[in-house]
């Protein structure tokens, strides 16, 4: 599928990677196999986003609510993350990716924190695409945290505007997501980028994340390109 270069291309794409468990259950496999397949999809989609020239990609890898899963599954997800980062790091570095973490890192397992810190340092000079991994992330907590940081920095309550608040979010300095994709047929955003998603276009697909292909990504972007974004304004000036 050829994407139109003439129509607005998203600068920032965010993805809620959902359906790993169902994918595995459909195949009578343990849920962990779904996550393994999901990590492979994440790898392919990162590569495709680089090929397409996307500037910012956010992947929702672990929500704060995901701690409620069985300890064995949580442990597996973080082991997978460490493997994923360690394996992909040379390529990410080579392709000019800069890694950023959205979420509370201090509560993550030590091996994950160490791997993420190393990867962040190694990719710090990447200028081609910023890859945000949302880990132990909660949109509500992010907003509360930003308000606290603003006040702790001596900000006056009256000076708190959407713009100043944005400077205290994990995504400070980045454009808001133009497009948010959620796989697996669930029609909600699950505490993801609550503040930043104010004008994001939403795209829902029944495809389970492990089955989501680069072609599916292009279809989502083509759908985005066919939409008229007005940001609250009228479509045609009436005077
Ligand atoms: C949702 O599927 C997915 C997650 C909670 C974790 C996302 C993790 C990955 C895609 C793999 C690791 C990613 C990286 C970047 C290494 P689910 O388990 O909620 O599926 P279900 O709703 O069908 O149960």
């Amino acid at each position: 599928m050829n994407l139109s270069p003439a129509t607005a291309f998203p600068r920032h794409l965010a993805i809620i990677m959902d359906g790993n468990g169902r994918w595995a259950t459909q195949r009578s496999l343990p849920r962990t196999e779904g996550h393994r397949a999901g990590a492979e999809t994440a790898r392919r989609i990162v590569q495709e986003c680089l090929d397409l020239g996307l500037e910012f990609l956010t992947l929702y890898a672990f929500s704060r609510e995901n701690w409620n899963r069985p300890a064995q599954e949580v442990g597996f997800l973080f082991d997978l993350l460490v493997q994923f980062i360690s394996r992909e790091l040379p390529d990410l570095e080579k392709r000019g990716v800069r890694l950023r973490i959205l979420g509370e890192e201090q509560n993550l397992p030590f091996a994950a924190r160490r791997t993420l810190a190393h990867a962040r340092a190694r990719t710090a000079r990447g200028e081609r695409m910023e890859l945000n991994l949302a880990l132990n992330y909660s949109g509500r907590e992010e907003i509360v945290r930003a308000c606290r940081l603003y006040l702790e920095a001596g900000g006056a309550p009256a000076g708190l505007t959407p713009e100043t608040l944005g400077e205290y979010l994990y995504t400070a300095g980045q454009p808001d997501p133009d497009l948010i994709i959620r796989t697996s047929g669930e029609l909600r955003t699950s505490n993801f980028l609550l503040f930043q998603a104010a004008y994001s276009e939403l795209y829902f697909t029944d495809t389970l994340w492990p089955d989501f292909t680069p072609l599916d990504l292009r279809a989502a972007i083509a759908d985005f390109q066919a939409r008229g974004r007005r940001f609250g304004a009228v479509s045609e000036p009436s005077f």
Side-chain angles (χ1 to χ4, degrees), residues 16-25 31 34-43 46 59-63 66 69 73 77 80-85 133 135 182 184 186 188 208-210:
I16 303 173
M17 309 180 288
D18 197 10
N20 296 348
R22 277 162 285 168
W23 183 92
T25 304
R31 290 176 56 79
H35 295 316
R36 204 190 298 281
E40 182 52 28
T41 299
R43 190 189 66 75
V46 169
L59 297 178
Y60 203 2
F62 193 87
S63 73
N66 285 153
R69 296 183 176 217
E73 183 175 340
L77 278 169
L80 194 61
L81 176 77
V82 168
Q83 282 169 30
F84 177 87
I85 299 284
L133 283 185
L135 286 166
R182 182 174 191 148
S184 91
E186 306 292 346
R188 57 181 175 273
L208 303 175
W209 176 249

